[in-house]
Amino acid sequence: MGSWEEFYATHLPPSDFEDNRQLLKQFCENHLKDQSQNIVLITSGGTIAPLEHNTVRFVDNFSAGSRGSASAEYFLENNYAVIFLFRTKSLEPFTRHFSGQQFLDMLEINENGENSTISVRPDSTDVLLPILQKYKQAQETNRLLYVNFTSVSDYLWLLRAACECLAPFEKRALLYLAAAVSDFYVPEEDMPKHKIQSTGAPKISLELVPKILKPLVSSWVPQAFVVSFKLETDDSLLIAKSRESLIKYNHKLVIANILQTRKHRVVLVSPNASHEILLTKDQAHSGLEIEEPIVADVTRRHEEFQVAGEQ
Ligand code: PMT
């Protein structure tokens, strides 16, 4: 595996990088002045690893962005300013509630020739109104910034830029790294320029993406409260791997989950303890999302971390 410095040296930033960097800078400067304002960077969705420079094909992963987009709403409810760094076309806060035709089904046309109008069906107002109110509130208070990525290299460039802007918040910054970041990629120099022809089975050799948690925790945002996620498919590895990560990177918390059960069970692993959050069937049926208790727990820990720093 090459070093993280080498990765940046051999991958160009995305074409809209400067624009996004300015947005991040502006957003953070606006909130930095208010000493009581906490800020969270949420990463969400999967990254792709392209197989060609003119990318037709790529290696992707399962992540839909449910965890990150739902968590963003709960962080807003807990008065955080939120930077939502998400995979293009994955789920986003607020709009995630209305997939596909669901939104159109909530509307009705009031026919009046050229003066026809659209209104929300009365039986949909109860659903739409609270979500719209929360969305508008986030917009009006300028507490939600969306920044999107597609490839693992875009993600890493934007993550570093976001960290540069978050560092001055010191302990008020929380990083909630829920994105499913590619572990493997095809190095730029090994990648064909054009679409791989289907004349024979290609041999594709992947390399390890350097673990970015290392510089992030030790150098980029050394005072922030960093929460990483650990995804496994084998339950017997989950807690040991999470502890290993805490020891290796020296951050505050790992939220461990298993692919198949991630919507109703997570384990919050800290250096000294682990705490399970498990939704009952009744809770899930009543509409409770696991991100609500996760965010409540994480914000409480972040608060304690800040208070401990003041003593
Ligand atoms: O989006 P959903 O469908 O709702 O799914 C949510 C989720 C399962 C993706 C989420 O809950 C989750 O577990 N995200 C992390 C998945 C993952 O990448 O795990 P990992 O074990 O490969 O990586 C562990 C940590 O290392 C991650 O926090 C990641 O930010 C970090 N990492 C990963 C790769 C890399 N090169 N450098 C890193 O620092």
Side-chain angles (χ1 to χ4, degrees), residues 42 44 65-74 84 91-94 96:
I42 300 175
S44 181
S66 313
R67 177 82 79 227
S69 58
S71 301
E73 292 180 24
Y74 296 113
F84 185 64
L91 292 173
E92 297 175 30
F94 306 113
R96 73 187 174 98

Side-chain angles (χ1 to χ4, degrees), residues 63-67 177-179 209-213 229-230 257 262:
S63 172
S66 313
R67 177 82 79 227
L177 304 172
V209 176
K211 271 282 181 189
I212 226 64
L213 267 172
F229 281 71
K230 172 62 49 202
N257 50 185
R262 68 188 191 277

Side-chain angles (χ1 to χ4, degrees), residues 88-111:
T88 312
K89 293 187 190 153
S90 67
L91 292 173
E92 297 175 30
F94 306 113
T95 55
R96 73 187 174 98
H97 297 278
F98 317 106
S99 61
Q101 70 200 64
Q102 239 176 329
F103 180 68
L104 294 179
D105 288 341
M106 294 180 132
L107 305 177
E108 60 190 9
I109 300 171
N110 312 306
E111 291 288 1

Side-chain angles (χ1 to χ4, degrees), residues 171 299-311:
K171 288 183 173 238
T299 54
R300 181 186 53 75
R301 287 171 196 256
H302 185 210
E303 202 61 53
E304 286 170 4
F305 164 76
Q306 291 180 77
V307 171
E310 283 164 15
Q311 287 163 357

